[in-house]
């Protein structure tokens, strides 16, 4: 089956600055893909290359099997884009913005009106349909941007930081909406630097840093395989050294920290009983056990080599 | 692949844009033309000898129409595209499934329609001062439409290139206005010494003004065939340049 998006060997530089380095990416039909990376990583540049707002140096991009350069009209018709930067036609009111957008995508007047009406309702903009966009709040502008991307019922929706600058309430509503349309079979590519957003919504996550695709995997795998889990066992006594016997029996990394023994492993649930048995055999008493699992955020920071402070939490 | 609806929507948008600023769009050229007709037609005109048996006011009405039409169609597409780039919503057009031909034509024809409307309004205004019976209507329409087309195209090129408001004005100030005036909006080429007459022959605006004047009032000071061929060539060339620039994404794609 042909993929919704297929990027091969994409390179892009801006006067000397290599913004994308040999990006490869496959997104299956129906996937909810999270494109995760810190600011300046190259997410928007990738998107602009897909939709034709960027020229790129080399590589190929296909949308549902169509080449974005050779069959540009076809691919543009299949994509709905919600850009990171908000910009609307200042000569049109909210309703007209949606109707004209539909027109640009080849939708006739009658259908355009119906579609605009649907979206005004779905995005709670009905009250503001006659307003100019300057009269809208930040959240409304964001909603209008997303509504505009959906006007022609695209098969692939690209959302570039759709929840940036939104409040908690709107964010939840948008998340629910995205999940809903994804469940209806629409493929979604969402960029974000909010880890929680990717973790909550996406089936697949690609992590980009400094123009390089560092990791692409299912969210599940990423959380499971990439994460190191840790069993923290508080002992009744301080250990001078970790007993050799224990080291032999437990194949995981062992660290001691005062009277706390740390077992770093891939699957804490499996290792736990082994560790406890081994300790028991050594007659070492256990006071308290805690399992610490890495969050996606920790994994992400590990991969991108970033520091926690750099990232916004939702 | 054709997206006729997309093209029509863009054209509709372009028309909606200048219709929303009707006063700004149509009143200045009409006021300006009316003032010229009053001052030069009524106050000064009678003191000027007839040109080939034609009153001065009749002589310059076609020139006035040409001048205003040219500036209107030029500035319409130039500012429209420039503003779109400036505000950022030009990407709505660029990411829509329209062919580059449809995009370029949509913008250009918007300017053509505005130019024609301005021309027609000035013509109607002139009827208040001097009823003009059109000499050759098909030829006049040919010249008006293609002249607007050429300058709407030039406006689009400049709008693409411009990174500041001033850039758009520079062309009006240093190219369009002087060359149209020197092309004989208000004066007969016969008023000039031979050397200047020869230079005027190489000013494309002369052939445009002359073509429009001939088809309006029947006075020909140049060569109509040259005018026809020139305006056709300019139309094709300016359209092709824009098509090429849009296809390449000049100043549109980073
Ligand atoms: N138009 C541009 N001209 C020059 N450099 C740019 C341009 N757009 C983006 N960049 C640079 O390319 C890199 C990637 O930017 P971008 O794709 O916007 O990142 P992200 O969307 O992940 O935050 C950054 O270093 C940015 O400064
Ligand atoms: Mg970005």
């Amino acid at each position: 089956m042909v993929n919704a998006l297929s990027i091969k060997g994409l390179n892009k530089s801006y006067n000397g600055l290599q913004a994308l380095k040999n990006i490869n990416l496959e997104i299956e039909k129906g996937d909810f893909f999270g494109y995760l990376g810190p600011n300046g990583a190259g997410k928007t540049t990738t998107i602009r290359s897909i939709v034709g707002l960027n020229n790129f140096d080399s590589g190929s991009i296909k949308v549902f099997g169509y080449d974005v350069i050779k069959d540009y009209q076809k691919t543009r018709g299949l994509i709905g884009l919600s850009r990171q930067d908000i910009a609307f036609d200042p000569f049109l009111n909210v309703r007209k913005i949606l109707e004209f957008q539909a027109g640009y995508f080849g939708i006739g007047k009658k259908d355009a009106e119906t579609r605009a009406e649907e979206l005004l309702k779905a995005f709670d903009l009905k009250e503001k349909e006659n307003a100019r966009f300057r009269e809208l709040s930040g959240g409304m502008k964001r909603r209008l941007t997303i509504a505009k991307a959906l006007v022609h019922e695209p098969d692939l929706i690209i959302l570039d930081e759709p929840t940036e600058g939104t409040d908690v309430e709107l964010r939840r509503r948008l998340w629910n909406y995205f999940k809903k349309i994804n469940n209806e079979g629409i493929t979604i590519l969402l960029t974000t630097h909010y880890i929680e957003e990717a973790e909550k919504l996406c089936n697949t996550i690609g992590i980009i840093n400094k123009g390089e695709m560092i990791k692409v995997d299912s969210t599940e795998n990423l959380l499971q395989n990439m994460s190191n889990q840790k069993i923290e066992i508080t002992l009744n006594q301080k250990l001078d050294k970790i007993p050799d016997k224990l080291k032999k029996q437990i194949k995981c990394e062992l660290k001691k920290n005062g009277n706390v023994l740390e077992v770093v492993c891939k699957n804490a649930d499996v290792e736990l009983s082994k560790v406890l048995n081994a300790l028991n055999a050594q007659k070492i008493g256990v006071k308290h056990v805690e399992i610490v699992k890495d969050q996606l955020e920790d994994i992400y920071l590990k991969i991108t080599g970033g520091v926690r402070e750099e990232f916004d939490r939702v | 692949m054709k997206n006729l609806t997309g093209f029509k929507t863009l054209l509709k948008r372009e028309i909606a844009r200048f219709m929303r600023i009707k006063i700004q769009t149509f009143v200045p050229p009409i006021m300006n033309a009316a003032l010229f007709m009053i001052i030069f037609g009524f106050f000064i005109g009678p003191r000027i000898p007839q040109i080939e048996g034609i009153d001065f006011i009749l002589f310059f009405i076609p020139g006035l129409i040409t001048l205003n039409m040219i500036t209107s169609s030029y500035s319409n597409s130039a500012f429209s595209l420039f503003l779109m780039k400036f505000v950022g919503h030009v990407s709505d057009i660029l990411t829509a499934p329209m062919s580059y031909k449809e995009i370029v034509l949509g913008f250009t024809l918007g300017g053509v329609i505005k130019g024609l409307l301005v021309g027609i309004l000035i013509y109607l205004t002139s009827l208040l001062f001097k009823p003009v019976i059109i000499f050759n209507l098909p030829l006049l329409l040919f010249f008006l439409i293609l002249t607007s087309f050429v300058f709407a195209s030039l406006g689009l090129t400049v709008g693409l290139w411009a990174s500041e408001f001033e850039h758009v004005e520079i062309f009006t100030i240093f190219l369009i206005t002087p060359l149209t005036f020197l092309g004989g909006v208000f004066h007969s080429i016969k008023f000039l010494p031979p050397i200047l007459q020869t230079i005027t022959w190489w000013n494309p605006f002369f052939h445009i003004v002359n073509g429009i004047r001939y088809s309006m009032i029947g006075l020909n000071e140049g060569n109509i065939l040259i005018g026809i061929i020139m305006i056709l060539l300019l139309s094709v060339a300016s359209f092709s340049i824009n098509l090429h620039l849009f296809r390449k994404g000049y100043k549109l794609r980073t």
Side-chain angles (χ1 to χ4, degrees), chain A residues 110-128:
Chain A
K110 266 260 131 7
D111 291 340
E113 282 168 8
T114 317
R115 190 68 184 138
E117 179 70 24
E118 275 171 27
L119 289 167
L120 285 171
K121 284 191 185 135
F123 284 88
D124 235 337
L125 290 164
K126 184 78 181 129
E127 263 170 63
K128 294 282 177 183

Side-chain angles (χ1 to χ4, degrees), chain A residues 12 48 51-55 72-73 76-77 83 87-91 100-101 103-107 132 148, chain B residues 1 3 5-6 9-10 12-13 17 20 87-89 91-100 248 253-254:
Chain A
K12 164 71 186 169
R48 290 174 63 89
V51 299
L53 291 173
N54 259 1
N55 293 319
Y72 69 99
Q73 279 183 271
R76 285 172 199 179
R83 293 193 316 130
F88 301 111
D89 195 330
F91 287 93
F100 272 69
Q101 180 77 4
Y104 296 144
F105 278 80
I107 298 170
R132 306 262 151 205
K148 208 173 73 175
Chain B
M1 204 173 115
N3 178 358
T5 310
T9 308
L10 176 56
K12 200 168 98 185
R13 188 262 169 197
R17 192 189 78 92
R20 229 177 77 76
V87 176
H89 64 102
S91 42
D92 290 351
I93 309 289
L94 297 177
T95 54
M98 276 191 258
S99 70
Y100 295 114
K248 250 183 49 185
R253 271 184 241 141
T254 41

Side-chain angles (χ1 to χ4, degrees), chain A residues 14 17 19 38-45 84, chain B residues 254:
Chain A
Y14 296 108
L17 170 91
N39 280 321
K43 303 182 294 295
T44 300
T45 302
Q84 184 176 5
Chain B
T254 41

Side-chain angles (χ1 to χ4, degrees), chain A residues 269-280:
Chain A
D269 302 321
V270 174
E271 301 296 336
L272 181 61
S273 58
K274 282 196 221 160
V275 177
L276 290 180
N277 283 340
L279 286 171
N280 203 17

Side-chain angles (χ1 to χ4, degrees), chain B residues 45-117:
Chain B
R47 292 157 195 267
I48 297 176
Q50 287 194 326
I51 301 158
E52 313 255 332
I54 287 168
D55 282 346
F56 182 52
I57 184 167
L58 200 56
F59 181 85
F60 76 67
I61 285 172
L64 222 46
I65 290 175
T66 313
L67 176 64
N68 282 288
M69 206 183 60
I70 283 176
T71 17
S72 288
S73 36
Y74 166 82
S75 59
N76 191 73
S77 38
F79 278 116
S80 180
L81 180 59
F82 176 78
L83 278 171
M84 270 196 182
K85 287 195 312 177
F86 191 77
V87 176
H89 64 102
V90 69
S91 42
D92 290 351
I93 309 289
L94 297 177
T95 54
M98 276 191 258
S99 70
Y100 295 114
K101 209 181 278 173
E102 285 158 346
I103 296 176
V104 170
L105 272 181
F107 279 116
T108 312
L109 293 187
V112 170
I113 290 172
K114 182 173 151 188
L116 289 178
L117 283 174

Side-chain angles (χ1 to χ4, degrees), chain A residues 148-214:
Chain A
K148 208 173 73 175
L150 301 174
V151 103
H152 57 291
E153 302 182 77
D155 295 335
L156 170 64
I157 292 174
I158 300 181
L159 303 161
D160 198 357
E161 314 234 1
T163 58
E164 203 184 25
T166 56
D167 59 24
V168 180
E169 149 77 11
L170 175 57
R171 195 171 307 134
R172 305 264 162 221
R173 275 174 50 202
L174 289 177
W175 284 357
N176 287 335
Y177 193 84
F178 298 158
K179 271 192 218 149
K180 187 178 142 249
I181 53 179
N182 179 241
N183 285 337
E184 289 164 7
I186 293 166
T187 313
I188 299 182
L189 162 56
L190 169 133
T191 84
T192 182
H193 57 273
Y194 298 133
I195 297 101
E196 193 193 339
E197 188 161 280
E199 197 177 332
K200 277 234 165 69
L201 294 174
C202 303
N203 307 323
T204 316
I205 290 176
I207 299 176
I208 182 175
N209 190 37
K210 297 189 178 127
E212 278 178 274
M213 188 69 88
I214 288 170

